[in-house]
Amino acid sequence: MGTLYGIDGALLERQYRNHLSGYLHWDQLAHAQDWLLFEKNIGAYVCIDKVALSRGELSILSNKASHGGKGSIIAIIKGIDVCTVSSVLLRLSRRRCYQVREITLDMAPNMEQIVRSCFPTAKRVIDRFHKKLAYEAVLETLVAQKRTRQMPHPKCFHN
């Protein structure tokens, strides 16, 4: 737009950010580098997962009912350790935490601890991707055990 109207693009961007957007008066500006929390987006069915980016890992809590659309992000937190993530999620009101009936997560022990401490009444469900991985690992182990049982013992080959 700056080129179209003969205005310096950087100046236009600064003017929008500093005056028109309300960014400087945003209630989460002080901690936005470390975490964002949108309590009003919480619902009965949520999911928590970690995302690896080039600058580190993030923990993301989202509302499943929003299907990735507007209002789906509940929290974005820099890091995946239990203390960091729990300290942010415990800022949610107690009423909101008890509103969560079911939370989908992966099988990471840290995610399990976070969910137990922050959403004590929520039913924990393992996501489909990790269920499939666990099923395949168990199946592979069973097949390997069956093969070793069918093989004759090495002593049977001696004359």
Side-chain angles (χ1 to χ4, degrees):
M1 277 185 60
T3 308
L4 182 65
Y5 292 104
I7 302 171
D8 178 23
L11 174 65
L12 182 62
E13 183 180 342
R14 275 193 314 277
Q15 291 292 336
Y16 176 76
R17 184 189 70 220
N18 296 337
H19 302 289
L20 298 174
S21 71
Y23 172 76
L24 294 177
H25 304 290
W26 184 33
D27 62 341
Q28 298 199 41
L29 182 61
H31 54 76
Q33 290 290 325
D34 298 319
W35 56 271
L36 296 172
L37 195 60
F38 305 102
E39 187 168 346
K40 64 180 172 40
N41 293 345
I42 206 162
Y45 299 93
V46 302
C47 60
I48 187 168
D49 207 353
K50 58 186 173 292
V51 177
L53 301 173
S54 61
R55 298 176 121 187
E57 292 182 304
L58 298 174
S59 295
I60 299 177
L61 187 72
S62 59
N63 185 336
K64 290 173 73 173
S66 298
H67 302 288
K70 186 176 180 177
S72 61
I73 300 295
I74 300 165
I76 300 175
I77 305 158
K78 186 188 232 178
I80 60 169
D81 63 286
V82 177
C83 292
T84 303
V85 177
S86 294
S87 68
V88 173
L89 293 179
L90 288 172
R91 294 172 183 268
L92 293 166
S93 69
R94 188 174 182 89
R95 182 180 63 83
R96 295 283 190 169
C97 289
Y98 280 89
Q99 178 183 344
V100 177
R101 292 186 9 208
E102 183 179 287
I103 186 161
T104 304
L105 63 152
D106 61 17
M107 296 190 309
N110 61 329
M111 291 296 167
E112 174 78 18
Q113 286 179 315
I114 292 164
V115 170
R116 277 186 192 275
S117 64
C118 299
F119 305 99
T121 59
K123 177 181 171 186
R124 291 174 300 283
V125 176
I126 305 301
D127 66 37
R128 282 183 269 176
F129 174 74
H130 288 88
K131 277 184 193 175
K132 184 178 181 215
L133 287 178
Y135 172 76
E136 289 171 354
V138 169
L139 192 62
E140 188 176 308
T141 304
L142 290 173
V143 169
Q145 283 182 347
K146 190 173 183 180
R147 283 187 188 139
T148 57
R149 278 193 234 134
Q150 289 178 351
M151 295 293 291
H153 196 273
K155 289 183 182 179
C156 297
F157 292 113
H158 292 110
N159 289 338

